[in-house]
Amino acid sequence: AQSVTQPDARVTVSEGASLQLRCKYSYFGTPYLFWYVQYPRQGLQLLLKYYPGDPVVQGVNGFEAEFSKSNSSFHLRKASVHWSDWAVYFCAVSIYNQGKLIFGQGTKLSIKP
Amino acid sequence: NSKVIQTPRYLVKGQGQKAKMRCIPEKGHPVVFWYQQNKNNEFKFLINFQNQEVLQQIDMTEKRFSAECPSNSPCSLEIQSSEAGDSALYLCASRGRREQYFGPGTRLTVL
């Protein structure tokens, strides 16, 4: 069955440090993958999307992600985090012929000053 | 930034009461989705529409949930008889090319 796993429920990094949030997926075929961010009391905002092609995709606010078919992963990265990145991050896979999204459990990112 | 509009932002109901929320998708997006996000950040797909027609929905065996997306009117999701377990954030999304854009959600609290 299709699924998404985010193994880290919480991550804390210092402001200015680099960041990696992990995402593993299980999907038959080539997936469409997404990272969304949710700020407190808000909906989901799309950070970036992967469609078959270049494995490294660029998103908003300096985020990028790398797709790896061999590792079934789609990790999110940022070179230098800012306090405004404090939020919950969700990885999701789109079910091709249905369109609905399957979400991971989310990773809560905290920033140390 | 998403242009999906959801109203109301907050909804408080007693058990057994009806709860209705609305969604206006982004212009030009023909496919609309409803998801439920609980307090543990677990998402449940509820239903989706394309041009007013239901594409897929969960097995709403309790028949308490209903939804529609009429032409030239907001889409809506209604819970006929609210239960405490329905307390959650209800998210509406509309789909562009393949990606989905979400509204701010309606937070339902059932007392």
Side-chain angles (χ1 to χ4, degrees):
Chain A
Q2 300 92 345
S3 66
V4 176
T5 301
Q6 294 179 247
D8 305 308
R10 294 175 181 270
V11 169
T12 300
V13 297
S14 298
E15 191 170 13
S18 63
L19 169 72
Q20 176 172 280
L21 301 182
R22 297 185 291 165
C23 172
K24 301 274 284 185
Y25 67 89
S26 173
Y27 186 82
F28 180 76
T30 301
Y32 297 143
L33 293 158
F34 307 87
W35 275 98
Y36 286 88
V37 61
Q38 188 173 37
Y39 299 103
R41 295 175 296 281
Q42 294 188 28
L44 300 174
Q45 296 180 28
L46 180 65
L47 273 181
L48 47 75
K49 53 188 181 281
Y50 169 79
Y51 304 144
D54 191 334
V56 178
V57 291
Q58 304 296 321
V60 298
N61 298 330
F63 286 95
E64 68 172 27
E66 183 167 4
F67 169 74
S68 170
K69 188 170 184 177
S70 59
N71 293 324
S72 298
S73 67
F74 187 55
H75 300 331
L76 181 71
R77 302 190 295 241
K78 187 171 184 178
S80 176
V81 298
H82 187 262
W83 66 267
S84 60
D85 295 324
W86 195 314
V88 182
Y89 293 78
F90 294 95
C91 182
V93 64
S94 174
I95 306 302
Y96 174 69
N97 60 349
Q98 298 175 10
K100 67 180 181 183
L101 293 173
I102 303 294
F103 288 89
Q105 306 91 325
T107 298
K108 187 173 289 188
L109 175 65
S110 300
I111 309 295
K112 287 190 296 186
Chain B
N1 287 332
S2 172
K3 298 178 181 62
V4 176
I5 298 171
Q6 286 189 252
T7 57
R9 291 292 305 275
Y10 300 92
L11 197 53
V12 181
K13 294 292 178 182
Q15 294 200 48
Q17 290 187 318
K18 279 187 187 179
K20 187 168 185 175
M21 54 204 83
R22 292 174 176 81
C23 170
I24 300 175
E26 282 203 33
K27 195 173 181 181
H29 288 187
V31 184
V32 175
F33 297 77
W34 285 98
Y35 296 88
Q36 179 195 64
Q37 181 185 12
N38 68 18
K39 63 179 181 179
N40 296 319
N41 284 333
E42 295 162 334
F43 290 82
K44 179 193 283 186
F45 163 80
L46 297 176
I47 193 169
N48 61 350
F49 294 84
Q50 180 165 358
N51 297 327
Q52 299 90 48
E53 299 295 323
V54 175
L55 291 177
Q56 229 193 339
Q57 61 183 353
I58 63 166
D59 182 16
M60 299 182 186
T61 55
E62 294 182 46
K63 305 298 185 198
R64 295 187 301 109
F65 287 73
S66 62
E68 61 177 4
C69 244
S71 176
N72 298 319
S73 292
C75 299
S76 64
L77 177 69
E78 186 171 54
I79 305 172
Q80 297 300 319
S81 178
S82 301
E83 298 177 355
D86 298 330
S87 294
L89 183 67
Y90 290 84
L91 292 163
C92 176
S94 66
R95 190 173 72 192
R97 183 170 162 235
R98 292 191 186 96
E99 62 275 10
Q100 293 179 30
Y101 295 93
F102 286 81
T106 293
R107 184 165 297 282
L108 172 65
T109 302
V110 182
L111 302 174

